Amino acid sequence: MFDFIHRRLGVKIFLSYLAVILAGALVLGLATTASLPRAFNRHMAAMGQALEGQAGGVMPGMGRAGGRGTPQGGMMLVLYNNFRASFAEALTLAASAALAAALIVSAVLTRSVIAPVRALQSASQRIAAGRYDERVSVSSQDELGQLAQSFNRMAGELEQVEAMRRRLIGDIAHELRTPLTAIQGSAEGLLDGVLPAGEETFRQIHRESVRLARLVDDLQELSRVESGAYELTLRPVKLNDVLQTVSKRFRAALENKRLNLTLDLPADLPPLLADEDRLIQVLTNLLGNAVQYTPEGGAITISARREHGQVQISVQDTGVGISPEHLPHVFDRFYRVDKSRSRQQGGSGIGLTIARHLVEAHGGRIWAESAGDGQGSVFHFTIPVWTGQSV
């Protein structure tokens, strides 16, 4: 019995209503029993005085009822007992009617409270079973209605996360399949004697294995930055020194494509409050993206300017450009503006996503601009200025 009550919220609410009703009835009975004799004596005394004034005397057997206890005397005692019996009968009938009405109302109220709770319970069980499209109806603006709204928001976010998870698994499978297929095809060609066991064949296998290893590293780095499983060592950093380090990494690539890299930095640019290694990683991803998509003989410009306690850094190129419908998605993982472009022509599609997370971890923001296809593009991001305070 107690276990049944413990497991049923509706029974608990109903019993709480019933306890309130019984407590009210008990207090009503006790208060009535305690106050009835005094009230009866007071009213009978008033009635006796009125009759005495009208008839010039007291009715026989009436006596004076000025005391505070139970009335004494023959007729007065009989009258009091009859009055008390009639009052108790009326009180019993009224209490019974009130109790029945209260039980009906409490049952209705209990059902109105339990119904949305049961709906939430059923929906949560279906979500736990993987049906993330479940929602509950919001029929009020009280706490239960707010709970239903919060539940629906949670279900929506879970549905988005699940969709992202499935898309990520599909993207990873697609990205890993390309180099693995190339390696497998080359190996089978060697085994069947179709491909010569020469330097070019082994070089091709090596290139694909390097690309596969780079993709795995990118995925691991993406997992760390998206989960926040890394620490930023913030300290004053000179942007010019960082750009010199990054430009040296791309010197060979710039020379191979005959690209002109220009650094446009103001002389009074203040130090940045940043993690130097992570800032180098952001600029490496952005500059690598610019080098990848800028044709031979093009130009890349890295500029910076101070604004509102931050430094805005821009990487501009004269490359293939980005059409307006693709701009909001360039920082999504594995997103490619040109779906027909292979990973040999483009990157893994993760670098810009990593750059966005790292910039936001510094308290900045990152965005892209482009006039359209063939018009080049520019990537902006902001990093806070070092104020001279210790961090």
Side-chain angles (χ1 to χ4, degrees):
M1 181 63 180
F2 290 103
D3 184 66
F4 176 79
I5 296 175
H6 181 72
R7 293 175 177 271
R8 296 293 187 274
L9 178 60
V11 176
K12 291 180 181 178
I13 296 177
F14 181 80
L15 290 179
S16 65
Y17 290 151
L18 184 60
V20 172
I21 295 170
L22 293 178
L26 179 62
V27 171
L28 177 63
L30 293 176
T32 301
T33 302
S35 61
L36 183 61
R38 182 176 179 180
F40 178 81
N41 287 335
R42 185 172 65 252
H43 288 287
M44 291 304 297
M47 185 177 68
Q49 292 177 358
L51 292 175
E52 183 179 354
Q54 293 178 1
V58 183
M59 295 181 63
M62 180 78 69
R64 295 189 179 272
R68 297 184 178 182
T70 303
Q72 304 293 328
M75 180 177 290
M76 185 68 69
L77 182 59
V78 171
L79 180 62
Y80 171 74
N81 289 334
N82 290 331
F83 171 74
R84 187 173 64 176
S86 61
F87 181 82
E89 182 180 352
L91 183 62
T92 301
L93 292 175
S96 300
L99 179 61
L103 291 176
I104 295 174
V105 172
S106 63
V108 173
L109 292 178
T110 301
R111 181 174 298 178
S112 66
V113 172
I114 294 301
V117 174
R118 287 178 176 172
L120 286 170
Q121 180 186 17
S122 299
S124 63
Q125 291 175 349
R126 289 190 290 270
I127 287 180
R131 297 173 56 183
Y132 297 101
D133 58 340
E134 285 293 327
R135 300 294 185 273
V136 295
S137 60
V138 180
S139 57
S140 64
Q141 297 299 322
D142 56 8
E143 286 79 359
L144 288 175
Q146 295 173 9
L147 177 61
Q149 292 176 354
S150 300
F151 180 88
N152 288 338
R153 285 196 298 268
M154 179 198 69
E157 293 177 359
L158 287 175
E159 187 176 13
Q160 293 179 1
V161 170
E162 177 64 14
M164 291 176 60
R165 184 187 68 85
R166 292 179 179 178
R167 187 169 62 250
L168 176 60
I169 293 175
D171 290 339
I172 291 176
H174 174 73
E175 298 300 325
L176 293 176
R177 186 180 296 113
T178 302
L180 285 174
T181 300
I183 294 174
Q184 182 180 2
S186 298
E188 290 176 352
L190 288 173
L191 291 174
D192 296 338
V194 177
L195 292 178
E199 180 180 353
E200 181 59 29
T201 302
F202 293 127
R203 191 182 300 276
Q204 174 66 21
I205 295 177
H206 180 265
R207 279 198 300 265
E208 295 299 332
S209 63
V210 169
R211 192 152 67 95
L212 180 60
R214 184 170 61 248
L215 177 59
V216 172
D217 291 339
D218 289 343
L219 289 171
Q220 187 177 19
E221 181 66 16
L222 177 64
S223 175
R224 283 199 296 265
V225 297
E226 286 192 331
S227 63
Y230 65 94
E231 294 182 0
L232 293 179
T233 305
L234 300 178
R235 61 185 183 87
V237 176
K238 292 183 178 181
L239 181 58
N240 185 66
D241 295 341
V242 172
L243 289 177
Q244 293 298 331
T245 301
V246 174
S247 60
K248 289 179 181 179
R249 293 184 178 183
F250 288 90
R251 180 174 300 170
L254 292 168
E255 291 177 353
N256 290 337
K257 297 187 68 173
R258 294 183 290 109
L259 300 177
N260 181 35
L261 176 62
T262 302
L263 303 181
D264 183 14
L265 305 179
D268 59 344
L269 192 68
L272 306 179
L273 181 60
D275 185 311
E276 184 173 1
D277 293 336
R278 295 299 183 178
L279 182 58
I280 290 175
Q281 186 176 3
V282 171
L283 286 167
T284 298
N285 290 346
L286 294 181
L287 184 55
N289 187 75
V291 171
Q292 191 73 42
Y293 293 106
T294 301
E296 292 188 8
I300 300 173
T301 302
I302 301 179
S303 60
R305 62 186 178 91
R306 181 173 182 175
E307 59 173 21
H308 308 300
Q310 292 185 324
V311 171
Q312 177 179 310
I313 305 168
S314 304
V315 180
Q316 184 175 7
D317 61 62
T318 59
V320 297
I322 305 172
S323 56
E325 65 270 19
H326 294 299
L327 283 174
H329 305 288
V330 294
F331 295 100
D332 295 345
R333 64 167 79 96
F334 297 114
Y335 188 83
R336 283 187 290 179
V337 173
D338 185 358
K339 301 301 182 182
S340 63
R341 188 179 298 272
S342 67
R343 289 305 185 205
Q344 292 177 345
Q345 294 173 300
S348 64
I350 301 176
L352 293 180
T353 307
I354 294 175
R356 183 193 67 189
H357 284 283
L358 293 178
V359 168
E360 291 175 351
H362 281 83
R365 64 188 186 96
I366 186 170
W367 69 100
E369 296 177 354
S370 178
D373 293 336
Q375 303 297 315
S377 58
V378 53
F379 288 81
H380 306 281
F381 70 96
T382 59
I383 296 293
V385 171
W386 180 57
T387 60
Q389 300 177 354
S390 60
V391 294

